[in-house]
Structures are given as C-alpha cells and as structure tokens.
Amino acid sequence: MTPTITAFERSPDGGKGLARDMRVRWALEEVGQPYDVRLLSFEAMKAPPHLALHPFGQIPTYEEGDLVLFESGAIVFHIAERHAGLLPHNVNARARAITWMFAALNTMEPPIVDRAIARLVERDEAWHEQRMTVVEGRIRKRLSELSGHLSDADWLDGEFSAGDLLMTSVLLRLKSSGLLDEYPNLSAYAARGEARPAYKRAFDAQLAVFTAASTR
Amino acid sequence: MTPTITAFERSPDGGKGLARDMRVRWALEEVGQPYDVRLLSFEAMKAPPHLALHPFGQIPTYEEGDLVLFESGAIVFHIAERHAGLLPHNVNARARAITWMFAALNTMEPPIVDRAIARLVERDEAWHEQRMTVVEGRIRKRLSELSGHLSDADWLDGEFSAGDLLMTSVLLRLKSSGLLDEYPNLSAYAARGEARPAYKRAFDAQLAVFTAASTR
C-alpha cells in the first residue's frame, strides 16, 4: 500500500529542504518505498480535517490504510521498523541507533529551533544579540560534544542509520549560520548525508513542490 | 540481568521528580523490572568515564550487560519494547503510542524547557517578563491543542502507554507554573499519571536519594 504524507504547499524555508517532510521523504527514499504527497496551505493545516490527523496542526503526517501518524521522528521510526536499511539487525546496535534518533530530536534540535525562533521573532529587540550569544553558546556546547563523539567516524554508530538521518537533518538547519563549519568533522558528516542518493531524490522532490508553487 | 541507571547524586530540582531519571524509573516500575542506580555528582557527569557512556554528559544512562543507552526517551522505548505493559500489541495502536512518545519530547517539551532556561538565566534581565509572555504563549498553544485532542479521555490513545508516561512527565514540569491548571483536563491527566502506583514508587525512590544527600 502506497503511503501518503503531507507537506507544505509552499514551504517557509523556500525549498531548502529544512521542513520536516524532508526527513520522511528521505527515509522513504532510503528504503525504496514510493509515496504520495498531499500538499497543504497554511490555512488547511489549521483546519478541522487536518487537525483530525495531526492534533498540533503541522506537517508531516503519514497515512497508510487505517494508520495515521504524525511527528517526523515517529514516522521515520515506523518506516525504519518495516523496511530494511535504516536500523541494524543486531539488537544492541538497533537500540543504540534509536538512542541517536532521540538524541537528534530531544537534545540537539531544541536549541537549534530556539535559535530559529529567536531570529524570527526577536530580531528587532535591543537584546537580540545578547540573547543570541547565549543561545549559540548552548548550540556550540552540543556540537562540541557531538563532534567529540563522532571523531573521525563516518556515522554516529557503525553503519548509516535512522539516527544519522535525523541527526543530519537537524544539523543541516545550521548550515546557513556558519556554526556547523566550526566543527569540520560535523560539517563533513552532514555533507555525507546530503551526498546520499536517497537524500538527493528527497531534496529534489520537495524543491519541485516549492518551485511549482512559486511559478504559479 | 538487572540494569543499572544513573541519576543525580543531588538533583537540582530538590527531589520534585523532574529530573529525567524519573521517566526511566517510572517505566521500570510499570513493567516490574528491578534496577540498580549509580549516583553521579555534577563533576562526575562531565568526567571521561561518564562521557564514554553519555556523549552529552547527562543523566540518565542505562547499562544492561554490553548494552549502554542514553536519552530517556530511547531508554523508555527500550524498556517498553522488551516488557509488556507500555506499548499496545496491536500494530497500529503501537505505532500511535510511539508517535505520542515523540510528540512529548519533540513538540511539547522544547518550549517547556525553554521556559525553565529563561527563568534560570534571564531572570534578572529587563526584558525577562516580555520574553516570558511570548514563551508562555507558545506553551499555551501546545497545551490547548493537546487539551483539544485529549478531550475527556483518560489517556492519549486508548490504554496507558509509554506515550502517556513521557507526556505526563513533560507536563509535570509545568506543575509549579500554574499553566497546567488553565487546562483542567490536562491537569487531571497529569494527576492520573501521578496516582499510578508505579509512578509513586519511582517518585519515592528518587526522593529518597535527594533526602539522603541533603542530610549527609
């Protein structure tokens, strides 16, 4: 059964692949699972039909027969559990890969999102730069710890996994900030993720949606 | 094999059960799995032996033979996968419970942590109240959406699950703020979690650690 995911009709990131449908598209491409996409306007995301699928009125959702999921992390996990290629077979290695999924979303992403929100809503405040220094300090602390763990390895724990997929997706949010470049091994790690054919197919697919919306 | 978890020797929350070892203790109590605890000072958390277990130098960790895990969400999931009682047997219901685990940690918790950090490090700034209004607005938006989803149900999706365990743990961080009381059904939901015998056993265990440290 072909699953259907939802995505922004016109992504606020301008097609840079930073919206959370990208993580799900990438996972589906890694395992070779075709999918359909239903595009949503900002209005439709907050309307009752979509809220019935996603209580927080966001994208992506994932529909497969009777099953409806939201939260990109949970959707990526669902895909990883049902198809080979995103979680190791070894029981302990699998548990560690799942640990990295949660680390990406609950330890690494929150200060990065905090920075994005600050740039969006606090940009004109007199205290913006002062606060930004603190927020970026928090991000650097996490990047430094992650960099120390990764060392010169290709991926976080053995083969590429759903943990790397989510961690790369989170780190790429920092690409335009210059922060990632301060940690060459993390910068190379994120570039390795972007270089994967499945990433490229997913990226092109989300960019095509944005381009089509912009030329209408 | 009895797993060993790590916890604060002296929790910064003063034994209120808000440190993240509480989530793991609660899960272990729900499934009836005995466990050992290794207590760590703040210094020990940042020292090489612990960093070898937890790259971000935090608690909790989970050791079980050769397996070492960190991230409370991943540990709770590991426990839920290996023991009955925290995830439904039905495949679709199980996937939805996992969705709520991620929703608790990636959608609900970040603005709540943001508020805690703001109270800790921005308290003396002239703009503290101004920023707090915005941060609390973000929390209220999520609480309102969650409240709408929960409606008059006991738990988020059928029976109590690891999703409810994590969501309750996250909501309890707001208990002293008064924000949770604005949503009576969420307040009652959190109270239902706290009333579970397994929660109480876990709470008492972490409080005993804090009390022992305080009277030394």
Side-chain angles (χ1 to χ4, degrees):
Chain A
M1 190 181 306
T2 305
T4 298
I5 69 168
T6 49
F8 288 118
E9 189 175 69
R10 185 187 294 257
S11 177
D13 77 340
K16 292 200 189 77
L18 302 178
R20 284 186 170 96
D21 60 294
M22 178 65 196
R23 302 167 187 192
V24 173
R25 290 175 185 272
W26 185 6
L28 289 163
E29 292 287 353
E30 287 284 350
V31 304
Q33 167 67 55
Y35 60 99
D36 293 325
V37 184
R38 192 170 65 249
L39 300 177
L40 295 174
S41 66
F42 296 114
E43 295 70 36
M45 282 170 62
K46 306 299 174 187
H50 187 64
L51 287 173
L53 305 181
H54 194 320
F56 301 108
Q58 297 176 310
I59 60 96
T61 52
Y62 178 97
E63 293 162 80
E64 189 183 16
D66 291 341
L67 178 65
V68 181
L69 299 178
F70 58 98
E71 288 289 328
S72 55
I75 299 171
V76 167
F77 178 71
H78 176 79
I79 295 163
E81 247 196 333
R82 269 147 197 79
H83 302 268
L86 287 173
L87 286 174
H89 290 294
N90 174 278
V91 175
N92 283 3
R94 181 178 178 279
R96 291 197 305 271
I98 294 169
T99 285
W100 284 110
M101 295 181 68
F102 280 97
L105 301 180
N106 199 227
T107 294
M108 190 60 71
E109 188 165 43
I112 294 176
V113 168
D114 194 17
R115 179 179 181 280
I117 295 174
R119 282 173 57 89
L120 200 65
V121 306
E122 297 168 3
R123 170 148 239 153
D124 297 330
E125 304 290 350
W127 40 271
H128 176 63
E129 288 306 321
Q130 176 196 350
R131 186 158 181 269
M132 209 62 164
T133 303
V134 178
V135 171
E136 295 193 340
R138 267 202 299 276
I139 295 173
R140 283 192 178 94
K141 179 169 186 298
R142 293 297 178 221
L143 291 176
S144 167
E145 292 160 344
L146 187 69
S147 173
H149 169 83
L150 182 65
S151 187
D152 59 357
D154 277 357
W155 307 111
L156 291 168
D157 191 328
E159 296 296 302
F160 177 83
S161 78
D164 293 297
L165 186 153
L166 290 178
M167 189 63 83
T168 304
S169 301
V170 165
L171 293 180
L172 286 172
R173 298 184 71 147
L174 289 176
K175 205 176 174 183
S176 65
S177 72
L179 288 169
L180 199 55
D181 300 326
E182 298 174 17
Y183 305 86
N185 66 337
L186 294 184
S187 192
Y189 169 74
R192 264 192 296 280
E194 288 181 293
R196 294 178 72 86
Y199 178 94
K200 291 185 178 180
R201 288 194 297 273
F203 184 89
D204 291 347
Q206 64 78 36
L207 181 58
V209 169
F210 183 79
T211 307
S214 306
T215 54
R216 257 204 302 276
Chain B
M1 190 182 308
T2 305
T4 298
I5 69 168
T6 49
F8 287 118
E9 190 175 70
R10 185 187 294 257
S11 178
D13 77 341
K16 292 199 189 76
L18 302 178
R20 283 186 169 96
D21 61 294
M22 178 64 197
R23 301 166 187 192
V24 173
R25 291 176 185 271
W26 186 6
L28 289 164
E29 291 287 355
E30 287 283 351
V31 304
Q33 168 67 54
Y35 60 100
D36 293 325
V37 184
R38 192 170 66 249
L39 301 178
L40 295 174
S41 66
F42 297 113
E43 295 69 35
M45 282 170 61
K46 306 299 175 187
H50 187 65
L51 287 173
L53 305 180
H54 194 319
F56 301 108
Q58 298 176 310
I59 59 96
T61 52
Y62 178 97
E63 293 162 80
E64 189 183 15
D66 291 340
L67 178 65
V68 181
L69 300 177
F70 57 98
E71 287 289 329
S72 55
I75 299 170
V76 168
F77 179 71
H78 176 79
I79 295 163
E81 247 195 334
R82 270 148 196 79
H83 301 269
L86 287 173
L87 286 174
H89 290 294
N90 175 278
V91 175
N92 283 3
R94 181 178 177 279
R96 290 197 305 271
I98 293 169
T99 285
W100 283 111
M101 295 181 68
F102 281 98
L105 300 180
N106 199 228
T107 293
M108 190 60 70
E109 187 165 43
I112 294 175
V113 168
D114 194 16
R115 179 180 181 279
I117 295 175
R119 282 173 57 90
L120 199 66
V121 306
E122 297 169 2
R123 169 148 239 154
D124 297 330
E125 304 291 349
W127 40 272
H128 176 64
E129 288 306 320
Q130 177 196 351
R131 187 159 179 269
M132 208 62 164
T133 303
V134 178
V135 171
E136 294 194 341
R138 268 203 299 277
I139 295 173
R140 283 192 178 94
K141 180 169 185 297
R142 294 297 178 221
L143 291 176
S144 166
E145 291 160 345
L146 187 69
S147 173
H149 169 83
L150 181 66
S151 187
D152 58 358
D154 278 357
W155 307 111
L156 291 168
D157 191 330
E159 296 296 301
F160 177 84
S161 78
D164 293 298
L165 186 153
L166 291 178
M167 189 63 83
T168 304
S169 301
V170 165
L171 294 180
L172 286 172
R173 298 184 71 148
L174 288 176
K175 204 175 175 182
S176 65
S177 73
L179 287 169
L180 199 56
D181 300 326
E182 298 175 16
Y183 305 86
N185 67 336
L186 294 185
S187 192
Y189 169 73
R192 264 192 297 281
E194 288 180 294
R196 292 179 71 86
Y199 178 94
K200 291 185 178 180
R201 288 194 297 272
F203 184 89
D204 291 347
Q206 64 79 35
L207 181 59
V209 169
F210 183 79
T211 306
S214 307
T215 53
R216 258 204 302 275

